[in-house]
Amino acid sequence: MIKMLSMDLDETLLSTDKVMTESFRPFVEKLRANNIIPVVATGREFYTAHRFVGEDLEIDLICNNGNIIKNNKTGKLEFVNPMSKEDVDLIMSFDKNDKVYSTIHVEREDGIDLLYKKKNFKSFEGVYVDAFRGRNLGLDNFDDYEGHPLSIVFAGTHDDLVELRRLIKDGIGEDKDKFNFHLMKIKREPKWMLEILQKNGDKFFGIKKYAENRNIKLEEVAAIGDDSNDKMLVENVGLGFAMINAVDVLKEIADVVSDYDNNNDGAIKILDKVLFGD
């Protein structure tokens, strides 16, 4: 029996143009009416997840790939799982490519979500850093900063990030198993991002913590997503869904694959069909 449902945002509930499906709100109410707890689990930080979900909707958000849990309506913090300063310093010791944008996602009380290294870029307009305009802070280096570090994100070309990932993994040797690496395509320049989190920094661990706090077993949880950062979650809950537009590795391990993509309300349609027979 499913008692909790985790839903991803990008390329799942959101269209490719970043529009939330109109079916989302009524489906959330349908879940609650059937005693299923709805949550959104996303790699995004709270601010943009909150904006997409809708500021007045009562639902909990598991953000930054499981590293923070907040109530969407009140912003009340339930859980934070920061990276250690030592781990941040270790990863940043490989930050030597001036063509790569280097950032740390943080949780702090002054509204700053993203710290970025200034480097020698002439402009940040239109790039990954600029997506956090008004909520970012440029630093000369990351030797000293305020806030809980939630994840490290490098943005650059696909080839530069693949090489950076290789250098980090080779350079830290056995310590590479301490981290999760997610290489993903993004909408803004320079089109690709490499996100690095501690090993227990994953949507799965955020959902696991949330479920434990409510005495819900993992086999009573369902989850849907589309990308590599959904793999551990979809693979380890009671009922795992993948979007038809998902990466192959996710579709291979999912229990159910949607019939429609994210531009055709694929997430809600398959969830409604399987959970309620509609």
Side-chain angles (χ1 to χ4, degrees):
M1 179 180 177
I2 297 301
K3 296 182 179 180
M4 175 179 160
L5 172 63
S6 167
M7 295 170 281
D8 174 49
L9 279 179
D10 290 270
E11 306 301 315
T12 302
L13 292 174
L14 298 179
S15 70
T16 302
D17 293 331
K18 307 306 177 188
V19 177
M20 174 64 83
T21 171
E22 294 181 0
S23 301
F24 175 65
R25 280 177 174 259
F27 186 65
V28 165
E29 296 308 317
K30 185 173 184 178
L31 289 167
R32 288 205 180 97
N34 286 274
N35 297 313
I36 298 175
I37 299 174
V39 297
V40 167
T42 176
R44 287 183 177 271
E45 85 295 346
F46 176 79
Y47 179 88
T48 53
H50 172 65
R51 184 174 46 123
F52 283 125
V53 166
E55 297 179 0
D56 62 333
L57 186 64
E58 180 63 45
I59 192 171
D60 289 321
L61 306 182
I62 299 172
C63 300
N64 297 92
N65 281 318
N67 279 336
I68 194 164
I69 302 173
K70 282 187 174 184
N71 180 267
N72 177 63
K73 195 170 183 178
T74 67
K76 183 179 179 181
L77 179 67
E78 177 176 330
F79 172 74
V80 62
N81 179 37
M83 297 181 73
S84 71
K85 181 66 164 57
E86 293 74 19
D87 284 348
V88 172
D89 290 343
L90 176 61
I91 296 299
M92 284 302 172
S93 68
F94 295 89
D95 179 29
K96 299 175 181 178
N97 186 340
D98 283 344
K99 295 179 182 179
V100 171
Y101 297 85
S102 309
T103 67
I104 302 176
H105 286 269
V106 293
E107 164 63 17
R108 44 193 272 177
E109 295 181 356
D110 61 358
I112 296 296
D113 294 324
L114 188 81
L115 307 176
Y116 67 91
K117 192 180 290 188
K118 293 178 182 178
K119 291 189 175 180
N120 60 353
F121 297 111
K122 294 180 180 178
S123 173
F124 290 98
E125 187 173 353
V127 302
Y128 181 81
V129 171
D130 192 38
F132 302 85
R133 186 181 298 185
R135 299 177 292 111
N136 60 27
L137 178 65
L139 302 175
D140 293 325
N141 57 64
F142 292 138
D143 294 338
D144 188 30
Y145 55 84
E146 295 181 7
H148 297 294
L150 302 176
S151 66
I152 297 168
V153 171
F154 298 105
T157 67
H158 180 269
D159 290 348
D160 279 343
L161 296 182
V162 168
E163 175 62 9
L164 177 58
R165 182 178 61 184
R166 184 193 68 79
L167 288 172
I168 293 173
K169 287 187 174 184
D170 288 351
I172 62 180
E174 293 182 358
D175 281 345
K176 68 178 181 294
D177 294 330
K178 293 172 57 178
F179 302 98
N180 289 322
F181 296 80
H182 300 299
L183 182 62
M184 293 175 284
K185 196 169 185 179
I186 56 176
K187 188 174 182 180
R188 285 178 174 261
E189 294 297 334
K191 300 297 185 186
W192 287 86
M193 60 179 276
L194 174 64
E195 183 173 36
I196 302 174
L197 307 100
Q198 70 272 41
K199 201 65 179 180
N200 66 344
D202 190 278
K203 290 183 184 182
F204 169 70
F205 293 105
I207 289 293
K208 185 172 182 287
K209 177 68 175 178
Y210 188 89
E212 286 174 351
N213 287 349
R214 288 152 181 83
N215 295 315
I216 295 174
K217 301 175 183 178
L218 283 176
E219 54 263 36
E220 298 171 326
V221 177
I224 187 167
D226 76 290
D227 215 333
S228 60
N229 62 338
D230 297 298
K231 183 178 182 295
M232 189 181 296
L233 174 59
V234 168
E235 191 171 25
N236 287 285
V237 294
L239 185 57
F241 295 81
M243 297 294 293
I244 197 171
N245 52 280
V247 295
D248 289 342
V249 68
L250 193 67
K251 288 190 284 188
E252 289 169 1
I253 57 93
D255 299 303
V256 183
V257 177
S258 71
D259 301 311
Y260 301 93
D261 66 16
N262 60 306
N263 293 314
N264 291 280
D265 205 17
I268 302 300
K269 286 178 179 176
I270 193 62
L271 293 170
D272 217 8
K273 179 180 177 181
V274 174
L275 295 179
F276 303 117
D278 293 342

